[in-house]
Amino acid sequence: MSLQHVIDRSGQRVAITLFIALAGIGSLSSHAQTDDEAALAEIYGSAEMVSIATGITQPLRQSPAIASVVTAEDIAAIGATELNEVLETIPGLHVGVSGVGYKPIFSVRGIHTQTNPQLLVLINGLPIKNVFDGSLGSSWGRMPVTGIARVEVIRGPGSALYGADAFSGVINIITKTTADVQGLEIGARAGSFDRYDQYMQWGGDVGGFDSYLYLERHRSDGPSRTVTADAQSSLDGPPLFTSASLAPGPVNLNRDNVEARADISRGFWRLRGGFQEINDSGVGTGVAQALDPTGRGDGRRLSADLSYDNASFGKNLGLNGTLSYYSVENLARLTLFPPGAFGGAFPDGVTGNPDVYERHYRGELSALYTGVDRHRLRLGGGYRKEDLYKVEESRNYTQITVPGLGAVPFPLGGLVDVTGVAAFAQEEDRTVAYAFLQDEWNFRRDWTLTAGLRLDDYSDFGTTLNPRLALVWQTSYALTTKLLYGRAFRAPSFAELYNVNNPTAIGNPSLDPETIDTVELGFDWNGSRGLRGVVNLFYYRMDDIIRFAPDPAPLTTVTAQNTGKQTGYGLEAELSWQATRRLRLSGNYGYQKSTDKEAHDDVGFAPTHLAYARADWTFTPQWSVSSQAVGVFDRKRAPGDMRSKVDDYVSFDLTLRGQRLFGDDWGMRLSARNLFNSDVREPSSSTLIPNDLPMAGRNVFIELSKAFR
């Protein structure tokens, strides 16, 4: 495979376009450093640290993984207020949405599915995914970021360290502690879409315990972007000839959510807690892809973990242990099809109320041993239980088959509780026991080989073994070279295993996990005067992909099967330059080509070319401005979808930031996202929403904050 084959002509056009855009806005950027810090970065480059690659904190460029770090300073500078906006800056990672609630889809290297189960998201090292469908839920992509200290991202497999779902990548969200906040800070935002946010955070000493508390509330009506046609539009044609569709009409994206976190530590012990509540969250284009202006989702998430971390537990021995609990409640009140649908048989619409309740229990113990010359050994194990302990459902329809129409809803005469007889999923649980071993071997002066192996034993589908190998060569003082191999797996979700009375999608308890094998070659160059360049090449192969395949006629359902194979290759490139003490320029470019081996065609959805450019300028000691551009190009349709490819777009953001104002106590941000009101659309999963999913146009907010020290 030649480099010319990877970087084709359209890729060159993308790079040129983004370079021109960056040059035009380069004088508008925010990189809030002191003069001394800027001078050191100018001479030596940055020394970012990362822990996600091995579980041990080490310099980013020496880590045995392709990783990125976004700090709280970066988050504030670019005007980000939710997790989605932070992840847009990561090379090779595209933030999309599904039609249902506009749930986030994080496409990494062309791996893109509607529920996004192939990416593992952690908060302080603990998974937060739903076991029911493998998704993050509609709220996590919108997780507020005021309480986040840093976000670490691995692109590529991580199952040898983190187990299931560390498939296309791993995102670890590290929340703030008293090391990040001293005293009280309060703030408020107001902006487009009737948006109002309030937050507070406090850090200090309470009776000898380092304590951090954080609370934030967000409320908005969401962007009222119009969908021109929906699923009901096609049903309004023959043979029913109804006019029930609410399209053209706006998507439903209102939300009201609360996030709270606490972090209390003393000595080797740390106790963390988190709570998230979402009320009246909009359902996007509707669960059945028919507009639903009254539908809503409510949810609550509660987490707690107690950890012990002693790097000097014994001679050459460190010990770490964690106990954690995580619960999820997802409640939905839905109108699947509007009033008047199906010949007027549903005067109040086709309604359903599916509710899911989960509990997750986890325990892990690991040790780090450095008593063998040139080796750093990490070994450990753990146990967890994932419990879908309650499923409830009421609805006003049942499913029948009509010749010429297929499966259609039939009225029950009112809302009926079907929990005990025909609920959409079964109450199930699974247990997982696992053990892992990792060795970092510095076998020569500038060479380190990291080898890892993890065994996971699942109660529902058996055992899986996942290795990793990483060779890191400090080629010169400025250049680091990495050659990596890893294998990862994605566990079947409970919906894929156990759905029984879902209107269309049926589970299959005989499923095997999805697997992926990935090879990566990376180069990280740190030049003088703050110039850094990174290039990564990758190839992967996915097997046993889980898809819902049509059942034999006369059945109209689809059942989960291990039917897919996919390959992909590409590159990611990054460049950053501390041009002066007050001006920093940075950007990245990603190219990927992913092929569905069954269809012999592009898998679709994910952008072939993805580009990001940023310029930061601190024009006075208190004031800075940041501009960024995101370019998304060449998104093809899924095999069999004959619509033209999804339109390209470039979106620009601009943020003005003031710090240490009025006696060092006040802060201010004024931010405009999608400044030039680009028509940004994410691909819909089928032709039922023919013109794709419209995203927010130009929107602005202003934020004021005050610190009490």
Side-chain angles (χ1 to χ4, degrees):
M1 184 192 310
S2 68
L3 190 60
Q4 183 178 1
H5 180 68
V6 176
I7 309 178
D8 57 15
R9 291 182 179 179
S10 56
Q12 295 171 13
R13 290 196 298 271
V14 171
I16 292 170
T17 300
L18 264 291
F19 179 81
I20 293 171
L22 178 58
I25 62 177
S27 62
L28 301 173
S29 144
S30 130
H31 188 69
Q33 291 180 306
T34 67
D35 287 347
D36 288 343
E37 289 170 335
L40 289 171
E42 188 177 339
I43 297 170
Y44 297 109
S46 65
E48 293 178 299
M49 307 296 285
V50 64
S51 62
I52 192 175
T54 62
I56 305 161
T57 301
Q58 59 191 146
L60 178 63
R61 65 195 304 252
Q62 297 175 15
S63 66
I66 306 303
S68 300
V69 176
V70 184
T71 65
E73 177 61 32
D74 292 319
I75 292 170
I78 63 175
T81 60
E82 61 183 44
L83 182 61
N84 282 344
E85 296 164 347
V86 175
L87 296 178
E88 286 177 341
T89 70
I90 302 298
L93 192 160
H94 174 59
V95 180
V97 297
S98 70
V100 180
Y102 275 37
K103 292 181 181 180
I105 298 175
F106 302 137
S107 301
V108 180
R109 297 175 170 177
I111 299 173
H112 177 113
T113 52
Q114 292 300 303
T115 53
N116 207 193
Q118 290 90 356
L119 184 71
L120 182 64
V121 178
L122 314 169
I123 293 184
N124 299 314
L126 300 174
I128 60 170
K129 299 187 76 172
N130 299 340
V131 70
F132 170 66
D133 62 1
S135 77
L136 299 172
S138 61
S139 59
W140 280 108
R142 301 169 184 164
M143 177 181 176
V145 296
T146 308
I148 293 177
R150 58 199 282 114
V151 179
E152 300 179 349
V153 181
I154 285 179
R155 302 182 300 284
S159 286
L161 193 59
Y162 294 104
D165 308 332
F167 193 89
S168 64
V170 183
I171 298 170
N172 189 26
I173 302 161
I174 301 172
T175 58
K176 290 179 178 177
T177 68
T178 52
D180 306 292
V181 177
Q182 287 291 322
L184 175 66
E185 180 184 341
I186 59 174
R189 302 183 198 99
S192 303
F193 317 133
D194 285 331
R195 171 183 183 167
Y196 298 98
D197 304 346
Q198 306 85 34
Y199 66 86
M200 64 78 64
Q201 55 182 346
W202 174 86
D205 181 275
V206 179
F209 290 86
D210 292 331
S211 304
Y212 170 76
L213 302 174
Y214 162 66
L215 177 66
E216 182 162 356
R217 185 194 180 195
H218 168 89
R219 194 206 69 78
S220 79
D221 292 339
S224 297
R225 301 308 295 269
T226 298
V227 170
T228 56
D230 65 357
Q232 184 59 43
S233 300
S234 60
L235 291 173
D236 281 343
L240 296 175
F241 296 103
T242 55
S243 57
S245 176
L246 300 177
V251 294
N252 179 5
L253 293 176
N254 57 285
R255 60 191 173 105
D256 186 344
N257 60 280
V258 174
E259 180 109 3
R261 299 204 172 270
D263 186 300
I264 302 170
S265 64
R266 184 172 183 174
F268 305 124
W269 294 91
R270 183 178 299 276
L271 176 65
R272 291 188 177 104
F275 174 76
Q276 184 181 56
E277 181 173 65
I278 301 176
N279 298 300
D280 297 328
S281 180
V283 295
T285 57
V287 171
Q289 301 186 74
L291 290 177
D292 180 7
T294 61
R296 71 182 193 275
D298 297 332
R300 282 173 292 279
R301 290 168 167 81
L302 179 67
S303 64
D305 63 272
L306 176 65
S307 62
Y308 175 84
D309 188 2
N310 185 352
S312 304
F313 183 79
K315 184 180 179 181
N316 302 316
L317 180 66
L319 190 67
N320 179 279
T322 304
L323 294 173
S324 67
Y325 170 80
Y326 172 58
S327 68
V328 183
E329 298 179 9
N330 288 322
L331 316 177
R333 301 295 175 262
L334 310 171
T335 301
L336 282 72
F337 295 95
F342 301 100
F346 295 90
D348 297 322
V350 180
T351 60
N353 304 325
D355 298 337
V356 174
Y357 300 78
E358 299 181 15
R359 290 184 294 229
H360 301 243
Y361 309 88
R362 302 182 181 95
E364 180 176 298
L365 185 66
S366 66
L368 177 66
Y369 183 67
T370 56
V372 180
D373 185 39
R374 295 181 176 270
H375 289 266
R376 187 160 57 172
L377 296 167
R378 186 167 184 254
L379 68 159
Y383 178 87
R384 74 174 187 267
K385 180 177 181 180
E386 300 171 340
D387 185 8
L388 180 62
Y389 70 94
K390 185 163 65 172
V391 176
E392 298 180 334
E393 183 182 12
S394 59
R395 60 179 189 240
N396 69 350
Y397 69 93
T398 189
Q399 199 89 343
I400 63 171
T401 301
V402 175
L405 289 178
V408 298
F410 181 81
L412 294 176
L415 203 60
V416 176
D417 187 344
V418 297
T419 299
V421 293
F424 63 98
Q426 303 178 50
E427 297 172 2
E428 296 284 349
D429 65 70
R430 69 160 52 128
T431 58
V432 186
Y434 61 90
F436 57 86
L437 174 65
Q438 176 180 272
D439 180 19
E440 295 176 78
W441 177 27
N442 183 214
F443 63 94
R444 290 191 62 182
R445 182 177 172 181
D446 294 316
W447 295 79
T448 301
L449 177 66
T450 300
L453 187 66
R454 173 163 164 154
L455 175 72
D456 289 81
D457 183 46
Y458 278 71
S459 60
D460 46 7
F461 63 80
T463 301
T464 178
L465 190 66
N466 293 275
R468 72 181 294 203
L469 288 171
L471 182 63
V472 178
W473 176 28
Q474 192 66 47
T475 316
S476 69
Y477 181 79
L479 178 65
T480 303
T481 304
K482 304 178 183 182
L483 179 62
L484 315 172
Y485 163 77
R487 181 176 175 86
F489 74 102
R490 198 271 283 185
S493 69
F494 280 14
E496 293 165 331
L497 289 168
Y498 305 123
N499 268 8
V500 287
N501 293 301
N502 186 286
T504 56
I506 305 302
N508 177 4
S510 300
L511 289 175
D512 292 322
E514 297 180 354
T515 61
I516 187 171
D517 291 273
T518 303
V519 178
E520 301 166 279
L521 177 62
F523 303 93
D524 192 320
W525 176 72
N526 256 3
S528 62
R529 307 188 67 81
L531 185 63
R532 179 180 181 234
V534 179
V535 176
N536 308 305
L537 305 173
F538 64 86
Y539 172 84
Y540 68 80
R541 177 183 176 88
M542 295 169 58
D543 290 295
D544 290 326
I545 299 173
I546 300 171
R547 294 172 177 162
F548 283 93
D551 292 318
L555 297 176
T556 59
T557 55
V558 295
T559 298
Q561 304 286 353
N562 292 109
T563 62
K565 296 180 183 294
Q566 178 176 323
T567 61
Y569 64 86
L571 68 82
E572 296 139 1
E574 303 174 63
L575 186 64
S576 60
W577 179 34
Q578 191 70 43
T580 70
R581 293 187 176 187
R582 296 181 179 274
L583 176 64
R584 183 175 186 264
L585 306 177
S586 60
N588 59 67
Y589 166 75
Y591 168 87
Q592 65 82 25
K593 175 66 176 176
S594 300
T595 302
D596 185 317
K597 303 303 288 185
E598 303 296 320
H600 305 289
D601 199 359
D602 193 284
V603 298
F605 293 104
T608 303
H609 306 279
L610 186 62
Y612 174 79
R614 174 180 165 191
D616 299 307
W617 180 35
T618 303
F619 57 91
T620 75
Q622 286 80 32
W623 290 94
S624 57
V625 64
S626 174
S627 57
Q628 60 178 5
V630 176
V632 176
F633 306 91
D634 195 16
R635 289 174 293 175
K636 297 178 176 62
R637 299 293 182 181
D641 189 335
M642 303 308 295
R643 291 177 292 171
S644 60
K645 67 180 185 180
V646 188
D647 288 342
D648 301 336
Y649 70 83
V650 177
S651 177
F652 293 86
D653 304 329
L654 186 65
T655 300
L656 174 67
R657 183 180 176 215
Q659 301 179 87
R660 303 181 300 275
L661 306 176
F662 311 118
D664 286 351
D665 294 330
W666 287 85
M668 187 277 287
R669 278 195 300 176
L670 177 63
S671 186
R673 306 196 72 80
N674 194 2
L675 180 64
F676 301 116
N677 205 32
S678 299
D679 184 13
V680 177
R681 292 176 181 265
E682 288 300 317
S684 55
S685 58
S686 77
T687 58
L688 294 175
I689 307 288
N691 296 317
D692 295 310
L693 307 174
M695 304 299 290
R698 181 190 301 111
N699 61 98
V700 300
F701 74 82
I702 186 169
E703 173 184 319
L704 293 175
S705 62
K706 182 170 177 19
F708 300 87
R709 298 182 176 89

